[in-house]
Amino acid sequence: MDRTMNAGPDLTTLAGAVGDATRIRMLELLMEGRALVAKELAFGTGVSPATATAHLQRLEQARLVRSTRQGRNKVFRLATPTVARMVEALMTVAVRSPRASATPEPLRAARYCYDHLAGRLGMGITDALLRAGHLSLRRRAFALTPSGEAWFQDFGIDLEPVREQRRHFAHRCLDWSERRDHLAGALGAALASHVFSLGWVERQPDSRGLIVTPGGQRGLKRHFGVL
């Protein structure tokens, strides 16, 4: 057989790394966007710390997660935003299954998708920016319009450092629960970070889900028309 026929991405290795219930659950937990230690990931997946360490080594070898030292602890996070998009895409496919109705309502309402807002909250904000003409649609991304440039600056987001990041600026991310694209990339992350800093949303314990605060309800309604 001509070996050149097998040239290309090593999907077999990737499939082996994610094709385990514990490892895919670890990736799902890291979709919160926070760095977690092995003990936290062990608790979240219901395995022993030693077993969790072995799974994390496999994920690191596949370049799906990366680890860094924080004091005495070794913390893990998703390796790149591309890995987060892969996990979200897998969720989009999985939501078609008969178990999709078992997805907790809070996750459908408001959640983090790695480092940006998703669920009905993320879609509501994206839709509002499109309706106002602050974003426009491109084939694989959103484009920031002149009015959008002014709006984000007025909202308190400095766009210059956002553009300097070595990642997609305004990526279109398919929302697995809403089945439409929401704002991701560096701009989506900056928007989520700013909304969080305003105290409009709070993290739910041990979950990607978000709680919209009373102040957030007022702010989201005033700025985006999101209820």
Side-chain angles (χ1 to χ4, degrees):
M1 180 182 292
D2 187 352
R3 292 184 179 273
T4 60
M5 293 179 64
N6 295 323
D10 188 358
L11 294 178
T12 302
T13 298
L14 177 62
V18 300
D20 177 272
T22 298
R23 290 195 288 274
I24 197 65
R25 175 59 180 154
M26 286 179 167
L27 294 175
E28 186 180 359
L29 290 171
L30 291 171
M31 284 287 285
E32 294 180 29
R34 291 182 288 186
L36 301 174
V37 299
K39 187 175 292 186
E40 291 173 314
L41 290 163
F43 177 79
T45 54
V47 300
S48 69
T51 300
T53 298
H55 282 302
L56 287 166
Q57 288 174 347
R58 180 74 178 273
L59 290 172
E60 275 201 283
Q61 290 168 0
R63 293 183 291 183
L64 296 174
V65 304
R66 59 186 175 89
S67 62
T68 54
R69 285 283 178 184
Q70 288 187 1
R72 297 181 178 180
N73 294 320
K74 188 176 185 180
V75 298
F76 297 85
R77 54 173 52 88
L78 295 183
T80 65
T82 301
V83 176
R85 292 198 295 272
M86 179 198 72
V87 177
E88 188 76 3
L90 289 173
M91 291 177 178
T92 302
V93 175
V95 80
R96 299 174 183 172
S97 71
R99 296 182 59 190
S101 60
T103 303
E105 172 60 24
L107 282 183
R108 292 176 175 269
R111 67 180 183 274
Y112 272 120
C113 176
Y114 184 50
D115 59 0
H116 55 272
L117 300 174
R120 290 195 294 273
L121 174 61
M123 282 306 316
I125 290 176
T126 301
D127 287 345
L129 293 171
L130 286 167
R131 284 195 305 270
H134 300 328
L135 293 177
S136 62
L137 291 172
R138 295 292 184 268
R139 184 177 179 183
R140 295 184 179 178
F142 294 104
L144 192 61
T145 65
S147 70
E149 296 264 356
W151 185 90
F152 273 88
Q153 296 285 359
D154 290 343
F155 191 52
I157 297 176
D158 185 358
L159 293 174
E160 184 174 350
V162 177
R163 285 198 168 92
E164 291 175 351
Q165 297 180 38
R166 299 181 63 180
R167 59 183 295 190
H168 291 289
F169 177 66
H171 184 73
R172 292 172 62 174
C173 181
L174 181 61
D175 195 296
W176 59 259
S177 61
E178 299 303 297
R179 307 294 298 165
R180 292 185 292 124
D181 291 332
H182 57 242
L183 176 63
L187 185 61
L191 180 59
S193 178
H194 190 59
V195 167
F196 187 83
S197 70
L198 291 172
W200 288 6
V201 295
E202 297 175 349
R203 289 182 180 272
Q204 293 187 29
D206 302 317
S207 171
R208 285 200 289 151
L210 294 171
I211 298 170
V212 179
T213 65
Q217 292 175 12
R218 293 189 294 269
L220 290 166
K221 183 178 180 181
R222 182 172 66 253
H223 289 275
F224 303 101
V226 174
L227 299 177

